[in-house]
Amino acid sequence: MNQKVRAELILKILESKFMIPSVSEVADDPFRTLVRTIISQSTADVNTRRAYMNLSRRVELTPKGLAEADINEIEKALFTAGLYRNKSRILKKLAKTIIQNFGGTLDFIYSEPLMDARRKLLSLPGVGPKTADIILLFCANKPVLPVDTHVNRVTKRLGFAPPDAGYEEVRMALQSLYPPQDYFKVHMLFISLGRSFCRARRPMHEECPVNNLCPSAHA
C-alpha cells in the first residue's frame, strides 16, 4: 500500500472516530488568535482558556489596547499560563511591533501571497513557524498545515516523516500526502489522535483506531 492511499485511509478512520470543530470554534480575528496561540505555548488547554479569558476581561485585545496596557495587569491575567511573565512581555512587544511595522493590523495575511505573509508573521516577537501557520490556515484559509507537538509525534509514528525530521520536513511531508482542503481537518484530527491514543508516554497501540495502518504499533 502506498503512502497516499494509507494516508487517506487513516484520515477516513479518524473522521469516523473524532469530532472536527469548525474553524470559528478555534479561531477569532487574526490578532486575538495570535494572542491565544502564544498563551497556549507550553500550557494546558484549560489554563490557556482561563488565561485568555482573564486577559480579555482586563485588556482590550487589539494591538493598541495591549500595547498601552500595564504590564502588571497582563501578568495578573496570564498567571495561570506557563511562563506568564515572559509571555506578558512578548505580547506587549508583539502589539507594539504590529503597530510600528504593519499599521496596527494583520490584514496582510488575507491579501499577500502565502510565503510573503508567512515571512512577515515570522518577523513578529514570539511567532515561530507553528504559530504563523496556525494564523495563516485558521484565519486566512491559506494552504499550509501547522505542526504542533501532537501532529509532529503522530506523523512520525505513522511513518510519514523520519524520527529526526524538523518542523519544515514534517509539514512538507503531510502537505504532499493530503490536498489543501484537508489541511485543517488533518491538523485537528492528528491532535485528537495524539491526545487520546498516540500519547508521548505509553501510547495506546492496542486501542488506537489506526493501529492496523501504523508501523509503530507493530514495531
Side-chain angles (χ1 to χ4, degrees):
M1 185 185 303
N2 69 42
Q3 290 281 62
K4 278 207 169 187
V5 171
R6 189 164 66 91
E8 290 171 6
L9 287 173
I10 287 169
L11 191 61
K12 286 181 181 178
I13 292 170
L14 295 181
E15 283 185 84
S16 69
K17 180 70 178 178
F18 299 108
M19 293 288 292
I20 304 170
S22 65
V23 175
S24 63
E25 290 179 76
V26 295
D28 203 328
D29 72 81
F31 183 71
R32 284 174 172 264
T33 303
L34 182 53
V35 168
R36 182 167 183 150
T37 304
I38 289 173
I39 292 172
S40 74
Q41 294 167 3
S42 303
T43 302
D45 288 348
V46 63
N47 290 331
T48 295
R49 285 193 294 271
R50 188 177 297 132
Y52 178 79
M53 292 307 297
N54 287 343
L55 185 64
S56 65
R57 284 192 289 265
R58 289 175 179 267
V59 175
E60 180 188 353
L61 285 186
T62 62
K64 184 175 185 294
L66 204 50
E68 295 177 351
D70 185 276
I71 189 67
N72 293 321
E73 283 297 300
I74 300 174
E75 288 183 357
K76 288 176 185 176
L78 300 188
F79 182 74
T80 60
L83 305 171
Y84 71 95
R85 285 197 175 94
N86 184 52
K87 289 177 182 177
S88 298
R89 290 192 296 271
I90 287 173
L91 288 176
K92 196 167 177 66
K93 187 177 179 182
L94 169 73
K96 290 180 178 179
T97 303
I98 291 172
I99 291 169
Q100 292 167 1
N101 295 355
F102 303 116
T105 178
L106 294 175
D107 284 353
F108 62 81
I109 68 168
Y110 303 111
S111 58
E112 297 203 5
L114 169 61
M115 296 313 294
D116 291 343
R118 192 172 193 256
R119 186 171 59 253
K120 286 185 176 180
L121 286 172
L122 288 171
S123 73
L124 295 170
V127 178
K130 182 201 77 172
T131 299
D133 292 343
I134 284 174
I135 303 306
L136 291 166
L137 176 65
F138 287 19
C139 300
N141 196 30
K142 297 285 189 181
V144 63
L145 207 164
V147 179
D148 81 336
T149 183
H150 300 293
V151 175
N152 179 66
R153 182 172 64 255
V154 168
T155 301
K156 291 176 179 179
R157 284 184 177 163
L158 288 172
F160 292 150
D164 60 349
Y167 183 94
E168 292 300 329
E169 188 175 354
V170 174
R171 180 175 71 85
M172 295 306 293
L174 287 175
Q175 291 184 185
S176 72
L177 291 170
Y178 294 104
Q181 63 266 27
D182 285 344
Y183 288 174
F184 177 77
K185 186 190 305 183
V186 172
H187 177 78
M188 300 309 301
L189 289 173
F190 275 31
I191 288 175
S192 294
L193 181 64
R195 286 174 173 164
S196 302
F197 298 98
C198 194
R199 299 168 181 170
R201 297 181 181 179
R202 298 179 183 175
M204 301 169 66
H205 290 306
E206 291 185 7
E207 297 88 349
C208 179
V210 296
N211 61 0
N212 289 333
L213 296 166
C214 179
S216 297
H218 308 285

